[in-house]
Amino acid sequence: IGHSLVAPDENPEAQAIPQAVDTARGPLSKSLIAAESLMASTQGGIGHSLVAPDETPEAQTIPQAADELVRKVKKVYVTIIGGKGFKITKKKFGMKDIPDVYCTVKYGSSPKVWRTSTVKNNVSPEWRESEKYILSNENEVISLDAWDANSKGGDTHYGSFRVTVAAVLLSSGKIEMELLNKGANTGCFVTLSCFKK
């Protein structure tokens, strides 16, 4: 069937492949779209219905091209290192409330919220916990909130800050930021780092 209906140089999918390769050199978002399109083409059966496999060597390289696009996607590792300045408060009957601190982190426009572990009874917590994200550009914003975990009732919000990946990288990959609560300084700080790969 592949010999009688379509000549190799008339295969529209084969003619589109050089254009897909050009797209791979463009912006990241276009590269990802190109990769998805290329993989969809292979699943659709290039070389099965109209053209014999040995007549379309370009089609055989499509999976490799898609793998190469995935490898070219840049990633950034965000690490929440530790904090300081969290204070012990007094409770009823003279009891002390020592902070049980954890952080929640959002990256860029992603709806995913990453939560660190809770460091109990510590005014200078250390986490050293990391999460990996796709780095579409260095102006992506990291939004961090710090909380005091309570056994009863809701958790207490210490404050938050926002910083771009670029700002962290320009600070030798590590930055200490003060938490703000309704625009006011809190005296509480969290240090985070970014590593680009």
Side-chain angles (χ1 to χ4, degrees):
I1 294 176
H3 291 285
S4 60
L5 295 181
V6 179
D9 59 352
E10 295 174 347
N11 178 10
E13 290 84 357
Q15 296 173 1
I17 291 172
Q19 298 174 1
V21 174
D22 290 339
T23 304
R25 302 190 185 99
L28 176 62
S29 57
K30 292 184 179 180
S31 298
L32 293 175
I33 293 172
E36 293 175 356
S37 299
L38 291 171
M39 293 305 293
S41 298
T42 58
Q43 293 170 357
I46 294 179
H48 276 284
S49 59
L50 298 181
V51 182
D54 59 353
E55 294 182 2
T56 56
E58 297 90 345
Q60 298 174 9
T61 65
I62 290 176
Q64 291 91 329
D67 289 342
E68 182 64 22
L69 290 177
V70 171
R71 286 194 293 271
K72 288 182 178 179
V73 174
K74 292 183 179 179
K75 303 176 183 65
V76 62
Y77 293 80
V78 178
T79 301
I80 309 304
I81 298 174
K84 68 179 184 180
F86 298 94
K87 298 175 177 60
I88 299 173
T89 57
K90 291 184 179 181
K91 299 175 66 176
K92 293 181 178 179
F93 310 111
M95 296 181 66
K96 294 181 179 180
D97 182 12
I98 305 174
D100 302 320
V101 189
Y102 68 90
C103 298
T104 55
V105 181
K106 287 190 67 177
Y107 177 84
S109 59
S110 171
K112 178 182 177 182
V113 178
W114 161 39
R115 171 177 169 160
T116 68
S117 60
T118 301
V119 178
K120 295 185 176 181
N121 301 322
N122 200 318
V123 295
S124 299
E126 288 191 10
W127 295 280
R128 299 190 181 278
E129 298 175 15
S130 303
E131 189 74 12
K132 178 176 66 177
Y133 299 96
I134 292 176
L135 181 63
S136 57
N137 67 78
E138 293 185 0
N139 290 322
E140 293 282 11
V141 175
I142 302 167
S143 302
L144 181 144
D145 290 77
W147 305 80
D148 181 15
N150 297 318
S151 57
K152 296 181 180 180
D155 294 345
T156 303
H157 185 226
Y158 281 115
S160 63
F161 65 76
R162 290 161 55 88
V163 64
T164 63
V165 173
V168 180
L169 294 175
L170 287 173
S171 299
S172 301
K174 184 169 70 173
I175 195 168
E176 182 182 83
M177 299 286 294
E178 183 175 13
L179 299 169
L180 300 178
N181 194 325
K182 297 180 180 179
N185 296 338
T186 62
C188 301
F189 296 83
V190 172
T191 300
L192 63 81
S193 66
C194 288
F195 170 71
K196 186 171 62 173
K197 186 175 182 181

